[in-house]
Coordinates of all heavy atoms in Angstrom, one line a residue:
M1 N -12.5 -4.0 17.9 CA -13.6 -4.6 17.1 C -13.5 -4.1 15.7 O -13.6 -4.9 14.8 CB -14.9 -4.4 17.8 CG -16.1 -5.0 17.0 SD -16.0 -6.8 17.2 CE -17.6 -7.2 16.5
E2 N -13.4 -2.8 15.5 CA -13.4 -2.3 14.2 C -12.2 -2.8 13.4 O -12.3 -3.0 12.2 CB -13.4 -0.7 14.2 CG -14.6 -0.1 14.7 CD -14.7 -0.1 16.2 OE1 -13.6 -0.2 16.9 OE2 -15.8 0.1 16.8
T3 N -11.0 -2.9 14.1 CA -9.8 -3.5 13.4 C -10.1 -4.9 12.9 O -9.7 -5.2 11.8 CB -8.7 -3.5 14.4 OG1 -8.5 -2.2 14.9 CG2 -7.4 -3.9 13.7
S4 N -10.8 -5.7 13.6 CA -11.1 -7.1 13.2 C -11.9 -7.1 11.9 O -11.7 -7.9 11.0 CB -11.8 -7.8 14.3 OG -10.9 -7.9 15.4
I5 N -12.9 -6.2 11.9 CA -13.8 -6.1 10.7 C -13.0 -5.6 9.5 O -13.2 -6.1 8.4 CB -15.0 -5.1 11.0 CG1 -15.9 -5.8 12.1 CG2 -15.8 -4.9 9.8 CD1 -16.9 -4.9 12.6
I6 N -12.1 -4.7 9.7 CA -11.2 -4.2 8.6 C -10.4 -5.3 8.1 O -10.2 -5.6 6.8 CB -10.4 -3.0 9.0 CG1 -11.3 -1.8 9.2 CG2 -9.3 -2.7 8.0 CD1 -10.7 -0.6 9.9
I7 N -9.7 -6.1 9.0 CA -8.9 -7.2 8.6 C -9.7 -8.3 7.8 O -9.3 -8.8 6.8 CB -8.2 -7.8 9.8 CG1 -7.1 -6.8 10.3 CG2 -7.5 -9.1 9.4 CD1 -6.5 -7.2 11.6
L8 N -10.9 -8.6 8.3 CA -11.8 -9.5 7.7 C -12.2 -9.1 6.3 O -12.1 -9.8 5.3 CB -13.1 -9.8 8.5 CG -14.1 -10.7 7.9 CD1 -13.5 -12.1 7.9 CD2 -15.3 -10.7 8.7
G9 N -12.5 -7.8 6.1 CA -12.9 -7.3 4.8 C -11.7 -7.3 3.8 O -11.8 -7.7 2.7
A10 N -10.5 -7.0 4.3 CA -9.3 -7.1 3.5 C -9.0 -8.5 3.1 O -8.6 -8.8 1.9 CB -8.1 -6.5 4.2
S11 N -9.3 -9.5 3.9 CA -9.1 -10.9 3.6 C -10.0 -11.3 2.5 O -9.6 -12.0 1.6 CB -9.3 -11.7 4.8 OG -8.3 -11.4 5.8
F12 N -11.3 -10.9 2.6 CA -12.2 -11.3 1.5 C -11.8 -10.7 0.2 O -11.9 -11.4 -0.8 CB -13.6 -10.9 1.9 CG -14.3 -11.9 2.8 CD1 -14.7 -11.4 4.1 CD2 -14.5 -13.2 2.4 CE1 -15.3 -12.3 4.9 CE2 -15.2 -14.1 3.3 CZ -15.6 -13.6 4.5
G13 N -11.4 -9.5 0.2 CA -10.9 -8.8 -1.0 C -9.7 -9.5 -1.6 O -9.6 -9.7 -2.8
G14 N -8.8 -9.9 -0.7 CA -7.6 -10.6 -1.2 C -7.9 -12.0 -1.8 O -7.3 -12.3 -2.9
V15 N -8.9 -12.7 -1.3 CA -9.2 -14.0 -1.8 C -9.8 -13.8 -3.2 O -9.5 -14.6 -4.1 CB -10.2 -14.7 -0.9 CG1 -10.8 -15.9 -1.6 CG2 -9.5 -15.2 0.4
L16 N -10.7 -12.9 -3.4 CA -11.4 -12.7 -4.6 C -10.4 -12.2 -5.7 O -10.6 -12.5 -6.9 CB -12.6 -11.8 -4.5 CG -13.7 -12.3 -3.6 CD1 -14.8 -11.3 -3.4 CD2 -14.3 -13.6 -4.1
V17 N -9.4 -11.5 -5.4 CA -8.4 -11.0 -6.3 C -7.4 -12.1 -6.7 O -7.0 -12.2 -7.8 CB -7.7 -9.8 -5.8 CG1 -6.5 -9.4 -6.6 CG2 -8.6 -8.6 -5.6
V18 N -7.1 -13.0 -5.8 CA -6.1 -14.0 -6.0 C -6.7 -15.3 -6.8 O -5.9 -15.9 -7.5 CB -5.5 -14.5 -4.7 CG1 -4.6 -15.7 -4.8 CG2 -4.7 -13.3 -4.1
F19 N -7.9 -15.6 -6.6 CA -8.5 -16.8 -7.2 C -8.4 -16.8 -8.8 O -8.0 -17.9 -9.3 CB -10.0 -16.9 -6.8 CG -10.2 -17.8 -5.6 CD1 -9.2 -18.3 -4.9 CD2 -11.5 -18.1 -5.2 CE1 -9.4 -19.1 -3.8 CE2 -11.7 -18.8 -4.1 CZ -10.7 -19.3 -3.4
P20 N -8.7 -15.8 -9.5 CA -8.6 -15.9 -11.0 C -7.2 -16.2 -11.5 O -7.0 -17.2 -12.3 CB -9.1 -14.6 -11.5 CG -10.0 -14.1 -10.4 CD -9.4 -14.6 -9.2
P21 N -6.2 -15.5 -11.1 CA -4.8 -15.8 -11.6 C -4.3 -17.2 -11.1 O -3.6 -17.9 -11.8 CB -3.9 -14.7 -11.1 CG -4.7 -13.9 -10.2 CD -6.1 -14.2 -10.3
L22 N -4.7 -17.5 -9.8 CA -4.3 -18.8 -9.3 C -4.9 -19.9 -10.1 O -4.3 -20.9 -10.4 CB -4.7 -18.9 -7.8 CG -4.4 -20.2 -7.1 CD1 -2.9 -20.4 -7.0 CD2 -5.0 -20.2 -5.8
T23 N -6.2 -19.8 -10.4 CA -6.9 -20.8 -11.2 C -6.2 -20.9 -12.6 O -6.0 -22.0 -13.1 CB -8.4 -20.4 -11.4 OG1 -8.9 -20.3 -10.1 CG2 -9.1 -21.5 -12.1
S24 N -6.0 -19.8 -13.3 CA -5.3 -19.8 -14.6 C -3.9 -20.4 -14.6 O -3.6 -21.2 -15.5 CB -5.2 -18.4 -15.1 OG -6.5 -17.8 -15.3
K25 N -3.2 -20.1 -13.5 CA -1.8 -20.6 -13.5 C -1.8 -22.1 -13.2 O -1.0 -22.9 -13.7 CB -1.0 -19.9 -12.4 CG 0.4 -20.4 -12.2 CD 1.1 -19.6 -11.2 CE 2.5 -20.2 -11.1 NZ 3.2 -19.6 -9.9
T26 N -2.8 -22.6 -12.4 CA -2.8 -24.0 -12.0 C -3.4 -24.9 -13.1 O -2.8 -25.9 -13.4 CB -3.6 -24.2 -10.7 OG1 -3.1 -23.3 -9.7 CG2 -3.6 -25.6 -10.2
F27 N -4.5 -24.4 -13.7 CA -5.2 -25.3 -14.7 C -5.0 -24.8 -16.1 O -5.6 -25.5 -17.0 CB -6.7 -25.3 -14.3 CG -6.9 -25.9 -12.9 CD1 -7.4 -25.0 -11.9 CD2 -6.7 -27.2 -12.6 CE1 -7.6 -25.5 -10.7 CE2 -6.9 -27.7 -11.3 CZ -7.4 -26.8 -10.4
G28 N -4.4 -23.7 -16.4 CA -4.2 -23.2 -17.7 C -5.3 -22.3 -18.1 O -6.3 -22.2 -17.5
M29 N -5.0 -21.6 -19.2 CA -6.0 -20.5 -19.7 C -7.1 -21.1 -20.5 O -8.1 -20.4 -20.7 CB -5.2 -19.5 -20.5 CG -4.3 -18.6 -19.7 SD -5.3 -17.5 -18.5 CE -6.2 -16.5 -19.6
K30 N -7.0 -22.3 -21.1 CA -8.0 -22.8 -22.0 C -9.4 -22.8 -21.4 O -10.3 -22.2 -22.1 CB -7.6 -24.2 -22.4 CG -8.6 -24.7 -23.5 CD -8.2 -26.1 -23.9 CE -9.2 -26.6 -24.9 NZ -8.9 -28.0 -25.3
N31 N -9.6 -23.3 -20.3 CA -10.9 -23.3 -19.6 C -10.9 -22.5 -18.3 O -11.6 -22.9 -17.3 CB -11.3 -24.8 -19.3 CG -11.5 -25.6 -20.6 OD1 -12.1 -25.1 -21.6 ND2 -10.9 -26.8 -20.6
S32 N -10.3 -21.4 -18.4 CA -10.1 -20.6 -17.2 C -11.4 -20.2 -16.6 O -11.6 -20.2 -15.3 CB -9.2 -19.4 -17.5 OG -9.0 -18.6 -16.3
G33 N -12.4 -19.7 -17.4 CA -13.7 -19.3 -16.9 C -14.4 -20.4 -16.2 O -15.0 -20.1 -15.1
V34 N -14.5 -21.5 -16.8 CA -15.2 -22.7 -16.1 C -14.5 -23.1 -14.8 O -15.2 -23.3 -13.8 CB -15.3 -23.9 -17.1 CG1 -15.8 -25.1 -16.5 CG2 -16.1 -23.5 -18.3
N35 N -13.2 -23.2 -14.9 CA -12.4 -23.6 -13.7 C -12.6 -22.6 -12.6 O -12.7 -23.0 -11.4 CB -11.0 -23.8 -14.0 CG -10.7 -25.0 -14.9 OD1 -11.5 -25.9 -14.9 ND2 -9.6 -25.0 -15.6
Y36 N -12.6 -21.3 -12.9 CA -12.8 -20.3 -11.9 C -14.2 -20.4 -11.3 O -14.4 -20.2 -10.1 CB -12.5 -18.9 -12.4 CG -12.9 -17.8 -11.5 CD1 -12.1 -17.6 -10.3 CD2 -13.9 -17.0 -11.6 CE1 -12.4 -16.7 -9.4 CE2 -14.2 -16.0 -10.7 CZ -13.5 -15.8 -9.6 OH -13.7 -14.9 -8.7
G37 N -15.2 -20.7 -12.1 CA -16.5 -20.8 -11.7 C -16.6 -22.0 -10.7 O -17.3 -21.9 -9.6
I38 N -15.9 -23.1 -10.9 CA -15.9 -24.2 -10.0 C -15.3 -23.9 -8.7 O -15.8 -24.2 -7.6 CB -15.2 -25.4 -10.7 CG1 -16.1 -26.0 -11.9 CG2 -15.0 -26.5 -9.7 CD1 -15.4 -27.0 -12.7
M39 N -14.1 -23.1 -8.8 CA -13.4 -22.7 -7.6 C -14.3 -21.8 -6.8 O -14.4 -21.9 -5.5 CB -12.1 -22.1 -7.9 CG -11.1 -23.1 -8.4 SD -9.4 -22.8 -8.2 CE -9.1 -21.9 -6.8
F40 N -14.9 -20.8 -7.4 CA -15.8 -19.9 -6.7 C -17.0 -20.6 -6.1 O -17.5 -20.2 -5.0 CB -16.2 -18.7 -7.7 CG -16.8 -17.6 -6.9 CD1 -15.9 -16.7 -6.2 CD2 -18.1 -17.4 -6.9 CE1 -16.5 -15.6 -5.5 CE2 -18.7 -16.3 -6.2 CZ -17.8 -15.5 -5.5
F41 N -17.5 -21.6 -6.8 CA -18.6 -22.3 -6.3 C -18.2 -23.0 -4.9 O -19.0 -23.0 -4.0 CB -19.1 -23.4 -7.3 CG -20.3 -24.1 -6.8 CD1 -21.5 -23.5 -6.7 CD2 -20.2 -25.5 -6.6 CE1 -22.7 -24.2 -6.2 CE2 -21.3 -26.2 -6.1 CZ -22.5 -25.6 -6.0
G42 N -17.0 -23.6 -4.9 CA -16.5 -24.2 -3.7 C -16.4 -23.2 -2.6 O -16.7 -23.4 -1.4
Y43 N -15.9 -22.0 -2.9 CA -15.8 -20.9 -2.0 C -17.1 -20.5 -1.4 O -17.3 -20.3 -0.2 CB -15.1 -19.7 -2.7 CG -15.0 -18.5 -1.8 CD1 -14.0 -18.3 -0.9 CD2 -15.9 -17.4 -2.0 CE1 -13.9 -17.2 -0.1 CE2 -15.7 -16.3 -1.3 CZ -14.8 -16.2 -0.3 OH -14.6 -15.0 0.5
S44 N -18.1 -20.5 -2.3 CA -19.5 -20.1 -1.9 C -20.1 -21.2 -1.0 O -20.8 -20.8 0.0 CB -20.4 -20.0 -3.1 OG -19.9 -19.0 -4.0
I45 N -19.8 -22.4 -1.2 CA -20.3 -23.5 -0.4 C -19.7 -23.4 1.0 O -20.4 -23.5 2.0 CB -20.0 -24.9 -1.0 CG1 -20.9 -25.1 -2.2 CG2 -20.2 -26.0 0.1 CD1 -20.5 -26.4 -3.0
G46 N -18.4 -23.1 1.1 CA -17.7 -22.9 2.3 C -18.3 -21.7 3.1 O -18.4 -21.7 4.3
A47 N -18.6 -20.6 2.4 CA -19.1 -19.4 3.0 C -20.5 -19.6 3.5 O -21.0 -19.1 4.5 CB -19.1 -18.2 2.0
F48 N -21.2 -20.6 2.9 CA -22.6 -20.9 3.3 C -22.6 -21.9 4.5 O -23.3 -21.7 5.5 CB -23.4 -21.5 2.2 CG -24.8 -21.9 2.5 CD1 -25.8 -20.9 2.8 CD2 -25.1 -23.2 2.6 CE1 -27.0 -21.3 3.1 CE2 -26.4 -23.6 3.0 CZ -27.4 -22.6 3.2
L49 N -21.8 -22.9 4.4 CA -21.8 -23.9 5.4 C -20.9 -23.6 6.7 O -21.2 -24.0 7.8 CB -21.2 -25.2 4.8 CG -22.1 -25.9 3.8 CD1 -21.5 -27.2 3.3 CD2 -23.5 -26.2 4.4
G50 N -19.9 -22.8 6.5 CA -19.0 -22.4 7.6 C -19.7 -21.8 8.8 O -19.6 -22.3 9.9
P51 N -20.5 -20.8 8.6 CA -21.2 -20.2 9.8 C -22.3 -21.2 10.4 O -22.5 -21.2 11.6 CB -22.0 -19.0 9.2 CG -21.2 -18.6 8.0 CD -20.6 -19.9 7.4
Q52 N -22.8 -22.0 9.5 CA -23.8 -23.0 10.1 C -23.1 -24.1 10.9 O -23.6 -24.4 12.0 CB -24.6 -23.7 8.9 CG -25.5 -22.7 8.2 CD -26.2 -23.4 7.1 OE1 -26.3 -24.6 7.0 NE2 -26.9 -22.6 6.3
I53 N -21.9 -24.5 10.5 CA -21.2 -25.4 11.3 C -20.7 -24.8 12.6 O -20.8 -25.4 13.7 CB -19.9 -25.9 10.5 CG1 -20.4 -26.8 9.3 CG2 -19.0 -26.7 11.4 CD1 -19.3 -27.2 8.3
A54 N -20.3 -23.5 12.5 CA -19.8 -22.8 13.7 C -21.0 -22.7 14.7 O -20.8 -22.8 15.9 CB -19.3 -21.5 13.4
A55 N -22.2 -22.4 14.2 CA -23.4 -22.2 15.0 C -23.7 -23.5 15.8 O -24.2 -23.5 16.9 CB -24.5 -21.7 14.2
R56 N -23.5 -24.6 15.1 CA -23.8 -25.9 15.8 C -22.9 -26.2 16.9 O -23.2 -27.0 17.8 CB -23.8 -27.0 14.7 CG -24.9 -26.9 13.8 CD -25.0 -28.2 12.9 NE -26.0 -28.0 11.9 CZ -27.3 -28.4 12.0 NH1 -27.7 -29.0 13.1 NH2 -28.1 -28.2 11.0
F57 N -21.7 -25.7 16.9 CA -20.7 -26.0 17.9 C -20.6 -24.9 19.0 O -19.8 -25.0 19.9 CB -19.3 -26.2 17.3 CG -19.2 -27.5 16.6 CD1 -19.4 -27.6 15.2 CD2 -18.8 -28.6 17.3 CE1 -19.2 -28.8 14.6 CE2 -18.6 -29.8 16.7 CZ -18.9 -29.9 15.3
V58 N -21.5 -23.9 18.9 CA -21.5 -22.9 19.9 C -22.1 -23.4 21.2 O -23.2 -24.0 21.2 CB -22.3 -21.6 19.4 CG1 -22.5 -20.6 20.5 CG2 -21.5 -21.0 18.3
D59 N -21.5 -23.1 22.3 CA -22.0 -23.5 23.6 C -22.5 -22.2 24.3 O -21.7 -21.3 24.7 CB -20.8 -24.1 24.5 CG -21.3 -24.5 25.8 OD1 -22.5 -24.4 26.1 OD2 -20.5 -24.9 26.6
Q60 N -23.8 -22.0 24.3 CA -24.4 -20.7 24.7 C -24.1 -20.5 26.2 O -24.1 -19.3 26.6 CB -25.9 -20.8 24.5 CG -26.3 -20.9 23.1 CD -26.0 -19.6 22.3 OE1 -25.9 -18.5 22.9 NE2 -26.0 -19.7 21.0
T61 N -23.8 -21.5 27.0 CA -23.6 -21.3 28.4 C -22.2 -21.0 28.7 O -21.8 -20.7 29.9 CB -24.0 -22.6 29.2 OG1 -23.2 -23.7 28.7 CG2 -25.5 -22.9 28.9
A62 N -21.3 -21.0 27.7 CA -19.9 -20.8 28.0 C -19.4 -19.4 28.1 O -18.3 -19.1 28.4 CB -19.1 -21.5 26.9
G63 N -20.3 -18.4 27.8 CA -19.9 -17.0 27.9 C -18.9 -16.7 26.8 O -19.1 -16.9 25.6
V64 N -17.7 -16.1 27.3 CA -16.7 -15.7 26.3 C -16.1 -16.8 25.5 O -15.7 -16.7 24.4 CB -15.6 -15.0 27.1 CG1 -14.4 -14.6 26.2 CG2 -16.1 -13.8 27.9
Q65 N -16.1 -18.0 26.1 CA -15.5 -19.2 25.4 C -16.6 -19.9 24.5 O -16.4 -21.1 24.1 CB -15.0 -20.2 26.4 CG -13.9 -19.6 27.3 CD -12.6 -19.4 26.5 OE1 -12.3 -20.1 25.5 NE2 -11.9 -18.3 26.8
A66 N -17.7 -19.2 24.1 CA -18.7 -19.9 23.4 C -18.3 -20.5 22.1 O -18.8 -21.5 21.7 CB -19.9 -18.9 23.2
Y67 N -17.4 -19.9 21.4 CA -16.9 -20.3 20.1 C -15.7 -21.2 20.1 O -15.1 -21.4 19.1 CB -16.7 -19.2 19.1 CG -18.0 -18.6 18.6 CD1 -18.6 -17.5 19.2 CD2 -18.7 -19.2 17.6 CE1 -19.8 -17.0 18.8 CE2 -19.9 -18.7 17.1 CZ -20.5 -17.6 17.7 OH -21.6 -17.1 17.3
H68 N -15.3 -21.6 21.3 CA -14.0 -22.4 21.5 C -14.0 -23.6 20.6 O -13.1 -23.8 19.8 CB -13.8 -22.7 22.9 CG -12.5 -23.5 23.1 ND1 -11.3 -22.9 23.1 CD2 -12.3 -24.8 23.4 CE1 -10.4 -23.8 23.3 NE2 -11.0 -25.0 23.5
S69 N -15.1 -24.4 20.7 CA -15.1 -25.6 19.9 C -15.3 -25.3 18.4 O -14.8 -26.1 17.5 CB -16.2 -26.6 20.3 OG -17.5 -25.9 20.3
A70 N -15.9 -24.2 18.0 CA -16.1 -23.8 16.6 C -14.7 -23.5 16.0 O -14.4 -23.8 14.9 CB -17.0 -22.7 16.5
F71 N -13.8 -22.8 16.8 CA -12.5 -22.5 16.3 C -11.7 -23.8 16.2 O -10.8 -23.9 15.3 CB -11.8 -21.5 17.3 CG -12.2 -20.1 17.0 CD1 -13.0 -19.4 17.9 CD2 -11.8 -19.5 15.9 CE1 -13.4 -18.1 17.7 CE2 -12.2 -18.2 15.6 CZ -13.0 -17.5 16.5
I72 N -11.9 -24.7 17.1 CA -11.2 -26.0 17.0 C -11.6 -26.7 15.7 O -10.7 -27.2 14.9 CB -11.4 -26.9 18.2 CG1 -11.0 -26.2 19.4 CG2 -10.9 -28.3 18.0 CD1 -10.0 -26.8 20.3
V73 N -12.8 -26.7 15.4 CA -13.3 -27.4 14.1 C -12.7 -26.6 12.9 O -12.3 -27.2 12.0 CB -14.9 -27.4 14.1 CG1 -15.4 -27.8 12.7 CG2 -15.4 -28.3 15.1
A74 N -12.7 -25.3 13.0 CA -12.2 -24.5 11.8 C -10.7 -24.8 11.7 O -10.2 -24.9 10.5 CB -12.4 -23.0 12.1
T75 N -10.0 -24.9 12.8 CA -8.5 -25.3 12.7 C -8.3 -26.6 12.1 O -7.4 -26.8 11.2 CB -7.9 -25.2 14.1 OG1 -8.1 -23.9 14.7 CG2 -6.5 -25.5 14.1
V76 N -9.1 -27.6 12.4 CA -9.0 -28.9 11.9 C -9.3 -28.9 10.4 O -8.5 -29.5 9.6 CB -9.9 -29.9 12.6 CG1 -10.0 -31.3 11.9 CG2 -9.4 -30.2 14.0
V77 N -10.3 -28.2 10.0 CA -10.7 -28.1 8.6 C -9.5 -27.4 7.8 O -9.2 -27.8 6.7 CB -12.0 -27.3 8.4 CG1 -12.3 -27.0 6.9 CG2 -13.1 -28.2 8.9
A78 N -8.9 -26.3 8.4 CA -7.8 -25.6 7.7 C -6.6 -26.5 7.6 O -6.0 -26.5 6.5 CB -7.5 -24.4 8.5
I79 N -6.3 -27.4 8.6 CA -5.2 -28.3 8.5 C -5.5 -29.3 7.4 O -4.6 -29.7 6.6 CB -4.9 -28.9 9.9 CG1 -4.4 -27.9 10.8 CG2 -4.0 -30.1 9.7 CD1 -4.3 -28.3 12.3
V80 N -6.7 -29.9 7.3 CA -7.0 -30.8 6.3 C -6.9 -30.2 4.9 O -6.3 -30.8 4.0 CB -8.5 -31.4 6.5 CG1 -8.9 -32.1 5.3 CG2 -8.5 -32.2 7.7
G81 N -7.3 -28.9 4.8 CA -7.2 -28.2 3.5 C -5.7 -28.1 3.1 O -5.3 -28.2 2.0
F82 N -4.9 -27.7 4.1 CA -3.5 -27.5 3.9 C -2.8 -28.8 3.4 O -2.0 -28.9 2.5 CB -2.8 -27.0 5.1 CG -1.3 -26.7 5.0 CD1 -0.9 -25.7 4.2 CD2 -0.4 -27.6 5.6 CE1 0.5 -25.5 4.0 CE2 1.0 -27.3 5.4 CZ 1.4 -26.3 4.7
V83 N -3.1 -29.9 4.1 CA -2.6 -31.2 3.7 C -3.0 -31.6 2.3 O -2.2 -32.1 1.5 CB -3.0 -32.3 4.8 CG1 -2.6 -33.7 4.3 CG2 -2.3 -32.0 6.1
L84 N -4.3 -31.4 2.0 CA -4.8 -31.7 0.7 C -4.1 -30.9 -0.4 O -3.7 -31.4 -1.5 CB -6.3 -31.5 0.6 CG -7.2 -32.5 1.2 CD1 -8.6 -32.1 1.2 CD2 -7.0 -33.9 0.6
S85 N -3.8 -29.6 -0.1 CA -3.1 -28.8 -1.1 C -1.6 -29.3 -1.3 O -1.1 -29.3 -2.4 CB -3.1 -27.3 -0.6 OG -2.3 -27.1 0.5
L86 N -1.0 -29.8 -0.2 CA 0.3 -30.4 -0.4 C 0.3 -31.6 -1.2 O 1.2 -31.9 -2.0 CB 0.9 -30.7 1.0 CG 1.3 -29.4 1.8 CD1 1.8 -29.9 3.2 CD2 2.3 -28.6 1.1
V87 N -0.7 -32.5 -1.0 CA -0.9 -33.7 -1.8 C -1.1 -33.4 -3.2 O -0.5 -34.0 -4.1 CB -2.0 -34.6 -1.2 CG1 -2.4 -35.7 -2.1 CG2 -1.7 -35.1 0.2
I88 N -2.0 -32.4 -3.5 CA -2.3 -32.0 -4.9 C -1.0 -31.4 -5.6 O -0.7 -31.7 -6.7 CB -3.4 -31.0 -5.0 CG1 -4.7 -31.8 -4.6 CG2 -3.6 -30.4 -6.4 CD1 -5.9 -30.9 -4.4
R89 N -0.3 -30.6 -4.8 CA 1.0 -30.1 -5.3 C 2.0 -31.2 -5.7 O 2.6 -31.1 -6.7 CB 1.5 -29.1 -4.3 CG 2.7 -28.4 -4.8 CD 3.2 -27.3 -3.8 NE 4.3 -26.6 -4.3 CZ 4.9 -25.6 -3.7 NH1 4.5 -25.3 -2.5 NH2 5.9 -25.0 -4.2
A90 N 2.1 -32.2 -4.8 CA 3.0 -33.3 -5.1 C 2.5 -34.1 -6.3 O 3.4 -34.5 -7.1 CB 3.1 -34.2 -3.9
M91 N 1.2 -34.2 -6.5 CA 0.7 -34.9 -7.7 C 1.0 -34.1 -9.0 O 1.4 -34.7 -10.0 CB -0.8 -35.1 -7.5 CG -1.2 -36.2 -6.5 SD -2.9 -36.2 -6.1 CE -3.7 -36.3 -7.7
F92 N 0.9 -32.8 -8.9 CA 1.2 -32.0 -10.1 C 2.7 -32.1 -10.4 O 3.1 -32.1 -11.6 CB 0.8 -30.5 -9.9 CG -0.6 -30.2 -10.3 CD1 -1.5 -29.8 -9.3 CD2 -1.0 -30.3 -11.6 CE1 -2.8 -29.5 -9.7 CE2 -2.3 -30.1 -12.0 CZ -3.2 -29.7 -11.0
K93 N 3.6 -32.1 -9.4 CA 5.0 -32.2 -9.6 C 5.4 -33.5 -10.2 O 6.3 -33.6 -11.1 CB 5.8 -32.0 -8.3 CG 5.9 -30.5 -8.0 CD 6.8 -30.3 -6.8 CE 6.9 -28.8 -6.5 NZ 7.8 -28.6 -5.4
K94 N 4.7 -34.6 -9.8 CA 5.0 -35.9 -10.4 C 4.5 -36.0 -11.9 O 5.2 -36.6 -12.7 CB 4.3 -37.0 -9.6 CG 5.0 -37.5 -8.4 CD 4.2 -38.7 -7.8 CE 4.9 -39.1 -6.5 NZ 4.2 -40.2 -5.9
A95 N 3.4 -35.3 -12.2 CA 2.9 -35.3 -13.5 C 3.8 -34.6 -14.5 O 3.9 -34.9 -15.7 CB 1.5 -34.7 -13.6
N96 N 4.5 -33.6 -14.0 CA 5.4 -32.8 -14.8 C 6.8 -33.3 -14.7 O 7.6 -33.7 -15.0 CB 5.4 -31.3 -14.4 CG 4.1 -30.7 -14.7 OD1 3.4 -31.1 -15.6 ND2 3.8 -29.7 -13.9

């Protein structure tokens, strides 16, 4: 259990460190502060809505498998995000 908490904490730290340079590299330095604010706002919305969505899909009677459907929803959302990132990347390559 403690190992999972350590990995989770390291992941959050990694995301917050990677967002500013990723934003600057993707959108340029001119409006970096505004763009980072928009990206962080999206991250905040996900952090707020994610647990609520997971809680709606919890099956209290399932015991150990209570979060099975929540993990399926999270996997689908992650796949959609991955596909969208590929589409955006392809759009940027066409523009350049």
Side-chain angles (χ1 to χ4, degrees):
M1 180 70 171
E2 293 83 16
T3 305
S4 299
I5 293 171
I6 291 169
I7 292 171
L8 179 67
S11 297
F12 278 118
V15 166
L16 295 177
V17 170
V18 171
F19 266 5
L22 178 67
T23 304
S24 297
K25 183 179 178 188
T26 304
F27 302 110
M29 287 297 295
K30 183 178 179 187
N31 297 314
S32 183
V34 173
N35 291 336
Y36 175 68
I38 292 169
M39 289 203 34
F40 193 76
F41 183 67
Y43 176 78
S44 302
I45 289 171
F48 179 71
L49 293 178
Q52 292 181 12
I53 292 169
R56 291 190 187 264
F57 284 95
V58 170
D59 182 7
Q60 297 289 343
T61 62
V64 177
Q65 298 293 325
Y67 284 96
H68 181 74
S69 56
F71 279 110
I72 301 242
V73 170
T75 302
V76 169
V77 169
I79 290 169
V80 168
F82 181 71
V83 168
L84 285 174
S85 69
L86 292 176
V87 168
I88 291 171
R89 186 174 184 181
M91 288 171 49
F92 271 116
K93 282 188 177 182
K94 278 186 181 179
N96 294 331

